């Protein structure tokens, strides 16, 4: 469901730019408003000035172009700052200090950090966006992935995603704490929901009924418990974590039992509460 570009484009909020242009985030996730923008996702929301001359070159002569260019450049600087800040996270944590250090690395005034309304959360969400993009690139390029059975595909993709957190493992409890703050929960939840959906899509899932929700709930639980297990794993290269992950995936892939039982439970709850449960799940996962 999330995989289709049209739904992804319509689901995510637009970013209003100077000059009346509306651009959708190009990363396809619900990260901070400073995500990279793609010109192909921009659409004008204001009529052009009535005196506009049709044959004037567009290389900066228009006042609209002049008003948009500084804003676009500023947003690009924000992305550069976030990318550079990640290098300082293992030492400084998911903090404003790491972002100030990142700004200095790329030659940007540290005052730019004040433009992020949820500073530390913006850094964590940017990292989540970047990890999802890397995972999607791997899915698209790894030809061997299609040769694996679905359970092995899922285990490999969850491991690949969690390995991206390994360099930050000592500071990841702080990231989880930031994600759990009330103002950050909606973005965190939707980022994780999209991650789970991408993994199921790569595993060949085409469900569009109650199984769609059940499968993603199960995988979300596997991902979260493995993520927590990883925080306390002192084995070489997180060997015990991957063994734990493989065991949970094997257990979950007894679909004739686990999914059917979960479906019966969901249907029983739905029967007792009317359509409110289904409406809530639709609003969370499909919007």
């Amino acid at each position: 469901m999330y995989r289709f570009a049209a739904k992804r484009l319509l689901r995510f909020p637009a970013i209003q730019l100077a000059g009346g242009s509306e651009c959708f985030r190009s990363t396809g996730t619900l990260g901070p408003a400073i995500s990279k923008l793609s010109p192909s996702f921009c659409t004008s929301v204001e009529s052009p000035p009535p005196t506009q001359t049709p044959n004037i070159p567009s290389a900066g002569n228009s006042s609209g172009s002049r008003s948009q260019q500084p804003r676009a450049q500023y947003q690009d600087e924000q992305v550069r700052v976030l990318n550079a800040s990640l290098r300082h996270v293992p030492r400084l944590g998911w903090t404003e200090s790491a972002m100030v250090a990142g700004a200095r690395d790329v030659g940007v005034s540290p005052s730019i950090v004040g433009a992020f309304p949820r500073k530390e959360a913006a850094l964590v969400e940017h990292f989540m966006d970047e990890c999802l993009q890397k995972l999607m690139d791997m899915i698209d390029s790894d030809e061997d992935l299609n040769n694996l059975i679905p359970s092995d595909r899922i285990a490999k993709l969850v491991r690949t995603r969690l390995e991206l957190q390994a360099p930050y493992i000592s500071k990841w409890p702080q990231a989880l704490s930031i994600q759990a703050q009330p103002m950050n929960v909606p973005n965190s939840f939707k980022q994780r929901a999209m991650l789970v959906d991408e993994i199921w899509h790569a595993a060949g899932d085409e469900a569009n009924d109650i199984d769609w929700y059940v499968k993603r709930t199960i995988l979300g639980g596997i991902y979260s418990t493995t993520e927590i297990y990883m925080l306390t794993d002192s084995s070489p290269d997180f060997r015990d974590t991957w063994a734990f992950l493989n065991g949970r995936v094997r257990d979950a892939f007894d679909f004739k039992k686990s999914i059917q039982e979960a479906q019966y439970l969901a249907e029983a709850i739905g029967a007792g509460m009317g359509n409110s449960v289904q409406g809530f799940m639709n609003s969370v996962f499909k919007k």
Side-chain angles (χ1 to χ4, degrees):
M1 293 185 182
Y2 287 107
R3 187 70 172 181
F4 297 105
K7 288 190 176 182
R8 180 176 297 172
L9 179 61
L10 293 174
R11 190 177 69 257
F12 301 132
I15 302 171
Q16 191 71 28
L17 301 182
S21 290
E22 186 177 72
C23 295
F24 291 89
R25 298 171 191 165
S26 63
T27 56
T29 54
L30 292 172
I34 43 67
S35 297
K36 300 177 184 176
L37 301 178
S38 170
S40 63
F41 289 163
C42 298
T43 178
S44 174
V45 294
E46 287 186 4
S47 300
T51 58
Q52 184 176 8
T53 304
N55 293 325
I56 293 179
S58 60
N61 290 337
S62 132
S63 61
S65 297
R66 286 197 301 271
S67 65
Q68 291 183 26
Q69 186 175 359
R71 178 66 178 270
Q73 180 180 356
Y74 189 67
Q75 290 171 337
D76 180 65
E77 287 180 344
Q78 289 179 315
V79 173
R80 288 167 51 215
V81 167
L82 291 175
N83 286 333
S85 300
L86 293 176
R87 295 195 293 267
H88 298 278
V89 169
R91 182 172 60 91
L92 300 175
W94 305 91
T95 62
E96 186 174 347
S97 297
M99 299 174 72
V100 169
R104 288 173 176 156
D105 285 352
V106 295
V108 175
S109 170
S111 63
I112 195 174
V113 176
F116 296 91
R118 296 176 299 117
K119 300 176 179 62
E120 295 85 355
L123 185 56
V124 175
E125 290 168 5
H126 176 74
F127 174 74
M128 294 289 287
D129 284 349
E130 292 294 301
C131 288
L132 179 59
Q133 186 60 57
K134 290 177 182 178
L135 182 68
M136 292 168 63
D137 291 343
M138 188 276 277
I139 291 171
D140 293 337
S141 62
D142 189 350
E143 297 179 357
D144 294 334
L145 194 63
N146 293 329
N147 297 327
L148 301 176
I149 62 175
S151 59
D152 289 345
R153 264 186 255 176
I154 285 181
K156 179 177 180 178
L157 292 172
V158 172
R159 174 172 175 170
T160 299
R161 171 58 186 82
L162 289 175
E163 283 177 334
L164 296 174
Q165 293 176 193
Y168 309 93
I169 196 65
S170 65
K171 304 297 183 182
W172 196 245
Q174 182 188 14
L176 293 177
S177 176
I178 292 171
Q179 290 178 313
Q181 293 174 9
M183 69 179 67
N184 303 327
V185 166
N187 280 356
S188 174
F189 183 82
K190 290 187 178 182
Q191 281 185 313
R192 287 171 178 265
M194 187 165 189
L195 168 62
V196 169
D197 186 73
E198 289 291 346
I199 293 175
W200 266 119
H201 180 87
D205 177 59
E206 297 180 354
N208 57 11
D209 53 12
I210 189 65
D211 282 356
W212 190 91
Y213 300 108
V214 173
K215 290 177 180 178
R216 279 146 185 80
T217 300
I218 291 173
L219 181 54
I222 292 174
Y223 181 90
S224 296
T225 54
T226 306
E227 181 180 36
I228 298 300
Y229 190 98
M230 188 178 181
L231 295 177
T232 59
D233 185 6
S234 58
S235 63
D237 299 322
F238 301 103
R239 182 175 54 202
D240 292 347
T241 296
W242 313 137
F244 175 85
L245 169 63
N246 291 335
R248 302 293 74 73
V249 172
R250 281 196 303 269
D251 291 344
F253 262 78
D254 183 8
F255 282 136
K256 291 183 179 179
K257 179 179 179 180
S258 61
I259 288 186
Q260 187 177 43
E261 290 179 350
Q263 181 174 350
Y264 288 158
L265 176 61
E267 291 175 349
I269 295 175
M273 300 180 65
N275 294 326
S276 59
V277 172
Q278 184 176 359
F280 170 77
M281 296 175 80
N282 285 338
S283 67
V284 168
F285 285 98
K286 289 188 176 181
K287 287 185 178 179

